[in-house]
Amino acid sequence: MSTLPDEAAVPDETSVRPNQRRRLHPAWIVAGVAFLALVGAAGFRAAPGVLMVPLQQEFGWSTTVLSAAVSINLVLFGLTAPFAAALMERFGIRKVTATALVLIGAGSALTVLVNQSWQILLTWGLLIGLGTGSMALVFAATIANTWFVKSRGLVIGILTAGSAAGQLVFLPFIAMLAQDPGWRQASLLIAAGALAVVPLVLKFLKNSPADVGVLPYGAEPAVTAAATEATAGDAAPRGNAAMRALQVLRRASRVRTFWALVAGFAICGATTNGLIGTHFIPSAHDHGMPETTAAGLLAVVGIFDIVGTIASGWLTDRFNPRILLAVYYQFRGIGLLVLPLLLSAEVQPSMIVFVVIYGLDWVATVPPTAAICRETFGADGSVVFGWVFAAHQLGAAAAALGAGFIRDATGQYTYAWFGAAAMCTIAAVISATIRRHSAPREEPVPVP
């Protein structure tokens, strides 16, 4: 990140407590709390697919209506992200994160009062969309870029896995509660999960290493002091976070790599949150599979997502992230191509293989994408990643709505799976051809 919160002064070499005297660097405590915050915020990510059928049965709403609520959520989820990154620079990571968790909790709790379709658009769409957008994967990149110099890829992988862990923690319980006693209790569970993390965030989630008088993990004091001195004169004024986000977008939009990442990540969102995350359970239900069984399969996706994302972070620190992206997208496309053949009333061994492979690949794309943003755009990398992530969620929203329309029009999801498989091949080609940038640009974009 290019700047530190107002209340935090940049530590000089004499004021920093030596890292070697600490058994655990504070960066790891911050990363641990950030992980828990992402787990708490992830409850709703598991909810739409599970709650869609109970809501249809109670209110008679169509798949398209409920898909529209999810699409609004995903659009706001994405478009909030770059502004949230700038707001974290302006007001601090702690305040923005706590506010986001409260919005998620409020939106989930108020869902139990809905009885009209427009109300689900307000709760699922507006409130939870704004909250989850402020806790988007750009949060992981912001933590990693602020607190870590060494092992950034691994940290982003671990934090990204927090969303998968949240899915793993919440999904089975949401599925059970949705069936008995009902979907309202499941919504209250999501609210409780988000709100329970707020005290930890307020207590332990520090805004920057300067708050506790240390350097970022892995930073050399002489190098950090030189970098701080070099950028101090150009540091962006921090009175207008929205302007900073828009200025970063304008500058990034002139770089071809930005558009390549946008295209690839839009397809990534379409084939994860938009399609599988929203419609896998209803599609499995169409084939006679019980909802709790299908939810259990998505929970397995969450388990292997943790493994795959952390492994991807480790690989990103060591290998060309462009090649990693190409491989991830192509394997995902193959899985989607065969999925219509695997769906049935019973869980076959081939379905388990699909779930494992898809889980390993679910958001493994995040660490290499964030790494390319940092490599290409330097200190603005977190905000740029926010805009790239916005494309991820716009792609997810389009896929969620489009798949719902296909289901209502044809009675099945087959064309949605095949179309997504073709898009993954396109994303693989785009990713493999991204240009390499030899040196990052560390100066922040100035704000007038």
Side-chain angles (χ1 to χ4, degrees), residues 163-246:
S163 295
Q167 182 183 22
L168 172 63
V169 169
F170 286 100
L171 187 54
F173 295 104
I174 292 173
M176 287 188 292
L177 289 175
Q179 295 221 333
D180 186 18
W183 64 267
R184 290 177 176 81
Q185 286 72 18
S187 295
L188 292 175
L189 173 64
I190 298 167
L195 296 175
V197 191
V198 173
L200 292 176
V201 168
L202 294 175
K203 176 70 174 177
F204 297 108
L205 190 64
K206 306 300 181 181
N207 292 321
S208 76
D211 284 359
V212 289
V214 299
L215 297 175
Y217 178 76
E220 296 293 335
V223 174
T224 302
T228 300
E229 183 177 347
T231 59
D234 296 325
R238 305 186 39 249
N240 194 327
M243 182 62 71
R244 166 153 166 73
L246 293 172

Side-chain angles (χ1 to χ4, degrees), residues 146-171:
T146 302
W147 280 89
F148 292 84
V149 171
K150 182 181 179 183
S151 303
R152 276 183 181 146
L154 177 62
V155 171
I156 291 175
I158 292 172
L159 293 182
T160 303
S163 295
Q167 182 183 22
L168 172 63
V169 169
F170 286 100
L171 187 54

Side-chain angles (χ1 to χ4, degrees), residues 408-433:
D408 285 341
T410 68
Q412 58 186 2
Y413 286 97
T414 303
Y415 293 125
W417 305 130
F418 287 163
M423 288 192 297
C424 284
T425 299
I426 295 172
V429 173
I430 292 173
S431 300
T433 56

Side-chain angles (χ1 to χ4, degrees), residues 104-123:
I104 295 169
S108 299
L110 289 173
T111 300
V112 304
L113 304 177
V114 304
N115 53 36
Q116 300 292 327
S117 60
W118 67 267
Q119 295 168 340
I120 202 73
L121 301 180
L122 178 65
T123 55

Side-chain angles (χ1 to χ4, degrees), residues 230-257:
T231 59
D234 296 325
R238 305 186 39 249
N240 194 327
M243 182 62 71
R244 166 153 166 73
L246 293 172
Q247 290 283 356
V248 170
L249 173 62
R250 186 173 68 176
R251 185 152 182 169
S253 65
R254 300 168 184 166
V255 181
R256 181 181 301 176
T257 296

